[in-house]
Amino acid sequence: MGKPLIGVMPQYNAQNENIMIVSDFFHAITKAGGIPVLLPLFSDVSDVERVLGRFDGFLYPGGPDINPLLFGEETRTECGNIITERDTLELGLMPAILCSGKPVLGICRGIQAMNVALGGTLVQDILAQRKDGGMIGHYQKAGDTVLTHSVRVEKNTLLYDIVRKERLTVNSFHHQSCKTLGEGFALNASAPDGIIEAAALENHKFFLGVQWHPEHLYGVDKDAARLWNAFIQSC
């Protein structure tokens, strides 16, 4: 068999109207043995569904906030930029992707999109909604490859099967997080303050979302490399 073809959900820079992807996503997929292909953004979802069968797996990357109306909430003042086209594409394609049973990896916004697609909800702003005194820094000021906080990995989960350890250190660039998990989306890891850091869909070959950014860590962190390798191998 040849290298697996990975359909990558596009990012979008609203300021200059560029459809794009952070290059680290493509580098990580390539280094792990896959071939990344960027999906179109400004297309009818049904048009994109026609080509899904050509892909062996899918990546949901990071990006702006998901519209809270899509998970049954009014928008708080702390909610950031919303790109309707991304919400429409990513959530609109999810039923067909789930039906295919093909592997999916979600990163940062990606785990949040996966959760909303499964009926879950989000914390719109961690600092505004989680004033519990034990908060750690989820939006670090350090560089992309700096590991700034730990996560506790649940045993007997997909993530544990990949990394084979109960504690990871990760980088972190998010102000939102999963609140209630969608149907079948099981907790795989959490931060010391209880923020959900990873979840996987039960009874699925590989449907895993993480809140940190392993795309920046592939070449410098063995656990990140294991995650990417496991994803590509599952495809």
Side-chain angles (χ1 to χ4, degrees):
M1 295 179 63
K3 295 180 178 179
L5 201 62
I6 308 301
V8 180
M9 301 295 160
Q11 297 174 312
Y12 180 63
N13 187 326
Q15 292 183 334
N16 55 24
E17 299 184 346
N18 279 349
I19 298 172
M20 53 173 282
I21 191 69
V22 172
S23 60
D24 282 348
F25 290 111
F26 271 30
H27 291 322
I29 290 172
T30 301
K31 289 176 182 177
I35 301 173
V37 177
L38 194 63
L39 294 172
L41 180 62
F42 297 126
S43 298
D44 188 279
V45 170
S46 61
D47 292 338
V48 184
E49 282 182 344
R50 293 185 60 188
V51 302
L52 292 186
R54 303 185 182 185
F55 295 96
D56 301 297
F58 300 93
L59 174 70
Y60 276 61
D65 296 350
I66 295 170
N67 193 328
L69 295 177
L70 296 173
F71 51 90
E73 294 186 6
E74 298 293 335
T75 303
R76 295 179 60 97
T77 57
E78 301 88 0
C79 188
N81 189 27
I82 293 170
I83 303 295
T84 300
E85 293 83 1
R86 283 197 65 177
D87 291 346
T88 300
L89 178 69
E90 294 175 5
L91 300 183
L93 288 179
M94 188 58 77
I97 292 174
L98 284 169
C99 186
S100 75
K102 293 180 179 180
V104 182
L105 175 62
I107 294 173
C108 197
R109 170 196 162 95
I111 184 178
Q112 297 167 17
M114 295 160 80
N115 188 45
V116 172
L118 294 170
T121 62
L122 305 179
V123 177
Q124 292 188 44
D125 186 79
I126 295 171
L127 290 178
Q129 296 178 261
R130 288 288 308 273
K131 297 184 183 298
D132 54 11
M135 189 60 57
I136 63 174
H138 287 281
Y139 204 106
Q140 69 188 48
K141 298 177 182 179
D144 292 345
T145 61
V146 179
L147 306 177
T148 59
H149 76 76
S150 64
V151 300
R152 179 181 180 275
V153 181
E154 301 290 330
K155 286 189 174 181
N156 301 314
T157 62
L158 175 58
L159 181 60
Y160 184 85
D161 289 343
I162 294 169
V163 299
R164 306 305 299 177
K165 57 177 63 175
E166 295 181 57
R167 182 181 180 275
L168 302 176
T169 49
V170 301
N171 54 359
S172 191
F173 299 94
H174 64 105
H175 82 106
Q176 297 195 321
S177 66
C178 296
K179 183 165 59 176
T180 58
L181 291 175
E183 184 176 359
F185 209 29
L187 177 69
N188 274 217
S190 56
D193 56 11
I195 292 294
I196 295 170
E197 291 282 344
L201 185 61
E202 298 172 324
N203 301 317
H204 193 284
K205 180 181 181 181
F206 193 108
F207 189 96
L208 174 66
V210 299
Q211 191 60 73
W212 63 92
H213 286 267
E215 75 276 14
H216 299 316
L217 303 173
Y218 185 91
V220 297
D221 181 77
K222 292 182 179 179
D223 294 321
R226 291 186 183 103
L227 178 59
W228 284 105
N229 292 340
F231 170 53
I232 297 303
Q233 289 168 12
S234 73
C235 298

